[in-house]
Amino acid sequence: MLRSPHRRRLAVGATLIAALAGALAPAAGASAAPVPVSPSTTAPTPAAPVAPDMEGVAAALDAAMANGAPGAMARFAGPDGVTYRTAGVRDRASGASMDIHARFRIGSVSKTFSTVVLLQLVQEGRLELDAPVNRYLPGLLPDDRITVRHLLTHRSGLADYTDAMFEKTVPGFESVRNRVFTYRELVDLSLALPRTTEPGVSYKYSNANFVVVGMLIEKLTGRPVADAYKNRIFKPLKLSGTSYVHPDTRIKGLHVRGYLHPDEAGAPLVDSTEQTVSWAQSAGAVISTPADLNTFMSALLRGRLLSPAMLEAMTTVTPTDATNTRFYGLGLRRYDLSCGTQIFGHTGTVQGFYTYAFTTRDGRRSLSAVANTSNHGAANTALGGTLEAAFCGKKPAPAAKSPAARSLTAPGATDRPAERDLPERH
C-alpha cells in the first residue's frame, strides 16, 4: 500500500497483561511439569543472520492497521545499523503521524524489567529462586510450596484476576482507569478465585505472579519498585525515554495515544491513554520507546544486566503450548521462528497498546514494534509478523522445492494467533 511521507518514514543509520480465559479451576489429573530446555545445551545451530525484510515489516504494520490499529511502528537494530518504519497516526484527534521517538505503554514487557531486578537480588544473595515466597512475605500466599521461580515462570497456580476485572472490556477498564490499588488488594482478588494448577505443574499466565514480584522487590529493597527500575536498569543503560509511571495517569512528552476496541462490533474506539495502570503495576506499568526497548533487550541478552548463571536461568525455558515454537523462561518468552532463529523477549498488552520486544540470543539483532490498539487480536497477530520479517528476512520464492527452502517456510511462532496478555473479545 502506498502512503505519503507523513504516514511512513524509513531511516537507516549506524512491552492485562495476562490471560488464559476460562482456566480458573484446578486442573484434574495434573501431569508432571515439562522438563526445562536450557539454551546452552539444547539450542540448534542458529540460523545465519540475514538482512531484515523491512518491506515485510511495513506489510505487517499495514496489516495491523487493516485490523483496527490507527497506527503502528517498528524499529530494528543490528550490526549494520538501525532501520525503522512507521505507519498511520499516533493521535486520531490531531492526525499526528506515528513517530518512532514517541513513548508508549509497554504492558507486559514490564515483566522482563521486574524479573531482571529480582534476579539481581538473587545474585546479591538476598533471596533464593527455589525458596517459598512466604519466607520473604510471611503469610501472603496460602501454599508454602509456591516458590519465587514459580512466580517468574507463571507456574504458581495463582489465578489471573484480570479475567473477571475485564470480562466486559470497556466497562471494566473505565472502572479501574483512575483507581489506585495496593499490591495486597490485587493479590486478594487473585486469592478469591480458584487456583489454576498445583505449584510447578503447568504454565498459566497470570498477572498476579508479577504483582507478588513487585511486593518482593519492595520488601527486599525497602524502596518503591520505581527506584529499583531506575537505579538498576534505566540509569545504567541510559534509557532516557523509559519510566515506571504509577499512579500518575499521564504519559509525559511526545507519546502515542492508545485506542481500545469495545466488545460491541462497530462501536467507536475508546481513547485509553490516560490511566493509572494500578491494576497491573509491576506487571505492566512501564512506559518506553522503540529505541530504549531495543537497547534493553540487547543489553540483557548480552549479559550487561545479569551474571552468566542468572542469564542462563532466565533463558532456560519450557513450552507454553503444543506448537513447540513458543516457550517461557523467567519473565522472558522464547519464540522459534520459521527460519530456525530463536528470539527472546516479551509481548505486551495494555488497554490501547500491543507491543513486541525481542532480540537474538547474542543480543546483536533486536526488534521492537507497537500498534496503538487492543482488544482486537487480529491486529496483535498481524503486528507479530514484524518478527518473521525482521529476523528471517525475505521469504524464498514459492516455487522453491528444495529441503532447505522448505525448512525456511516451516511454521513458526508467529504463524499462529498471538498470545493474549489480557482477556479479549475480538
Side-chain angles (χ1 to χ4, degrees):
M1 181 178 79
L2 295 176
R3 61 164 56 82
S4 58
H6 77 277
R7 295 191 63 205
R8 177 191 292 166
R9 293 177 297 170
L10 169 64
V12 181
T15 291
L16 54 174
I17 298 288
L20 288 174
L24 295 180
S31 57
V35 176
V37 179
S38 172
S40 65
T41 57
T42 63
T45 301
V50 296
D53 174 16
M54 294 309 294
E55 291 309 308
V57 169
L61 302 183
D62 286 342
M65 291 180 59
N67 283 284
M73 61 180 169
R75 182 183 189 273
F76 179 85
D80 295 328
V82 172
T83 305
Y84 66 80
R85 290 285 173 94
T86 67
V89 298
R90 61 179 176 84
D91 187 330
R92 296 177 73 222
S94 70
S97 300
M98 189 62 77
D99 192 310
I100 200 65
H101 303 292
R103 306 173 76 218
F104 54 91
R105 299 191 185 279
I106 68 172
S108 283
V109 181
S110 305
K111 290 178 171 65
T112 306
F113 286 87
S114 297
T115 301
V116 168
V117 172
L118 202 65
L119 292 182
Q120 288 180 349
L121 295 172
V122 173
Q123 288 177 185
E124 295 163 14
R126 300 166 80 170
L127 80 163
E128 298 175 9
L129 274 175
D130 295 308
V133 172
N134 284 345
R135 176 187 297 180
Y136 308 103
L137 299 169
L140 177 68
L141 303 181
D143 194 332
D144 286 338
R145 295 175 299 167
I146 298 175
T147 67
V148 175
R149 190 188 299 273
H150 291 152
L151 300 176
L152 297 177
T153 56
H154 292 290
R155 292 176 178 272
S156 69
L158 296 177
D160 184 359
Y161 55 84
T162 66
D163 289 333
M165 183 179 285
F166 302 124
E167 181 179 4
K168 294 185 177 180
T169 302
V170 173
F173 166 65
E174 295 294 0
S175 72
V176 300
R177 181 198 281 262
N178 295 304
R179 185 169 173 180
V180 178
F181 292 92
T182 65
Y183 282 129
R184 186 59 193 251
E185 286 175 326
L186 296 175
V187 172
D188 287 346
L189 288 176
S190 173
L191 296 181
L193 300 168
R195 301 256 289 282
T196 61
T197 183
E198 292 296 307
V201 170
S202 62
Y203 170 91
K204 295 292 183 182
Y205 191 94
S206 175
N207 185 57
N209 290 314
F210 279 80
V211 169
V212 179
V213 168
M215 296 179 76
L216 285 168
I217 291 171
E218 294 198 349
K219 176 66 177 294
L220 294 169
T221 64
R223 300 288 300 169
V225 291
D227 291 350
Y229 294 139
K230 180 179 179 180
N231 296 328
R232 292 172 176 269
I233 303 175
F234 302 164
K235 288 180 68 175
L237 295 183
K238 299 180 180 178
L239 305 182
S240 60
T242 304
S243 56
Y244 176 76
V245 181
H246 172 265
D248 192 353
T249 63
R250 298 167 297 166
I251 304 178
K252 295 180 180 178
L254 179 69
H255 63 276
V256 179
R257 301 198 69 83
Y259 299 95
L260 177 62
H261 277 267
D263 295 337
E264 300 78 20
L269 298 179
V270 174
D271 189 324
S272 52
T273 311
E274 277 79 35
Q275 60 165 305
T276 63
V277 199
S278 193
W279 57 266
Q281 300 189 48
S282 49
V286 173
I287 290 170
S288 192
T289 67
D292 279 5
L293 288 180
N294 286 155
T295 297
F296 169 63
M297 287 299 179
S298 179
L300 172 59
L301 272 294
R302 286 186 172 192
R304 291 181 57 190
L305 295 170
L306 296 172
S307 69
M310 282 295 96
L311 187 55
E312 176 79 5
M314 194 175 189
T315 54
T316 296
V317 298
T318 52
T320 63
D321 58 23
T323 68
N324 206 37
T325 60
R326 294 170 173 174
F327 304 82
Y328 206 90
L330 304 183
L332 198 68
R333 295 194 186 280
R334 190 186 91 190
Y335 281 176
D336 292 0
L337 303 179
S338 66
C339 59
T341 295
Q342 294 180 344
I343 54 175
F344 294 81
H346 216 288
T347 53
T349 301
V350 64
Q351 288 89 355
F353 301 90
Y354 287 130
T355 301
Y356 287 80
F358 282 83
T359 188
T360 50
R361 181 59 182 84
D362 61 7
R364 299 190 67 202
R365 296 183 291 151
S366 62
L367 179 98
S368 55
V370 64
N372 57 344
T373 198
S374 68
N375 195 38
H376 210 279
N380 195 8
T381 299
L383 186 68
T386 58
L387 300 175
E388 282 280 333
F391 293 105
C392 292
K394 289 187 179 296
K395 294 289 186 182
K401 299 296 183 180
S402 70
R406 287 197 298 271
S407 70
L408 288 176
T409 57
T414 61
D415 294 315
R416 299 167 177 85
E419 293 178 287
R420 297 189 303 171
D421 293 338
L422 273 184
E424 293 190 330
R425 304 294 169 251
H426 295 293

